[in-house]
Amino acid sequence: MNGQHGQDGRGRQDRADAVDREMAARLLPGPVVRALGRWWETNAAAYADGTPGAHTIRYTPGRWAQITPWPKALAPTSAGGDAAVSRAEVASAVADALRREAFREALVATYVWGKGKRGTPGGSGPSTLHKILAFDGLDAALAAAVTALHEYGAPQAYAALQGQVPGLGPAFFTKFFYFTGIAMPPARGPRPLILDRVLSRRLRQLAAAVGRDSGHDVDGSIAAWMWSDGNWSPHRYRVYLSFMHAAADQLTADDSWPSGAAPDLLECALFTTAWETG
């Protein structure tokens, strides 16, 4: 998305760029800041260190029995019932896997955390992951992306991996980048953050309000194009990271948000926070 050819595409891109500039200048509006402040009041005890490391998901190990390699940080697939794993535990598992260049193992840890119990009753999560792991070029693609992330930055890693592995889209490979970036911070640029459909829709809501107010996107069509439900361009991911890191800085200056909080705390909060647009 966000880079079509031709006069219409160029005009649309120019309007999208104008909305991006307005969003970068305005950052988070008052209603969103207040909504995030309420979220922090509720979650301050859980995330007292200013990171979402304690953010825990539940999953059903037995539904992933066909998946190998299986990270030791996850409950055995032979275990009955549900299990839980936190961001901090996944980050530790990914760091351990990367030290051994076990890229598939790192991917599995992030994928299972990202999927949780959603979509698994019919087997969509495990079956999709099984197909991803069966792709012959997976190791090379992941290794190249990790190198790009470490040496050049998150947008370059995004460009390196997009479209390279059938079934592995940005909603899940940005989770892989996010946890990889904790273990191996990029040499330049911001640390990667998760971008999925929920977060894109949050940004779409912000972009639509800015576009309407500024006159660059009165009907919201540009916001819908920029912040679609998937298949975002590397440029869009770069814009997302720039906005999120700047917005995190904005929040840390507000009394309702913890000072020095990591940008991924904002990502975690936006995932579960709603607000009235007015």
Side-chain angles (χ1 to χ4, degrees), residues 110-267:
T110 64
Y111 196 99
V112 173
W113 178 87
K115 180 62 73 171
K117 290 176 66 69
R118 294 177 297 112
T120 57
S124 64
S127 63
T128 300
L129 181 56
H130 189 261
K131 292 174 183 176
I132 291 169
L133 294 169
F135 177 60
D136 286 342
L138 178 62
D139 292 289
L142 293 178
V146 169
T147 297
L149 175 63
H150 183 60
E151 296 184 357
Y152 301 108
Q156 291 84 351
Y158 188 105
L161 193 52
Q162 187 173 32
Q164 296 301 304
V165 179
L168 183 60
F172 279 91
F173 71 63
T174 59
K175 294 176 175 68
F176 174 76
F177 289 156
Y178 164 67
F179 287 106
T180 297
I182 294 174
M184 300 171 54
R188 59 178 65 93
R191 289 194 184 189
L193 296 170
I194 297 166
L195 175 59
D196 60 16
R197 181 174 61 182
V198 172
L199 289 156
S200 184
R201 288 179 176 180
R202 297 285 191 264
L203 273 291
R204 186 190 313 171
Q205 188 178 357
L206 291 170
V210 167
R212 186 170 57 247
D213 187 52
S214 65
H216 294 302
D217 181 25
V218 176
D219 64 358
S221 61
I222 297 298
W225 178 66
M226 296 161 63
W227 299 106
S228 61
D229 279 352
N231 196 32
W232 309 282
S233 67
H235 169 72
R236 185 57 31 202
Y237 188 58
R238 184 189 300 273
V239 170
Y240 171 72
L241 292 181
S242 178
F243 178 85
M244 291 289 284
H245 281 258
D249 289 341
Q250 172 197 6
L251 283 174
T252 58
D254 190 279
D255 291 340
S256 64
W257 195 253
S259 61
D264 53 347
L265 186 69
L266 171 59
E267 170 262 300

Side-chain angles (χ1 to χ4, degrees), residues 39-55 265:
W39 179 90
W40 176 247
E41 286 181 6
T42 302
N43 293 278
Y47 306 130
D49 63 352
T51 80
H55 176 209
L265 186 69

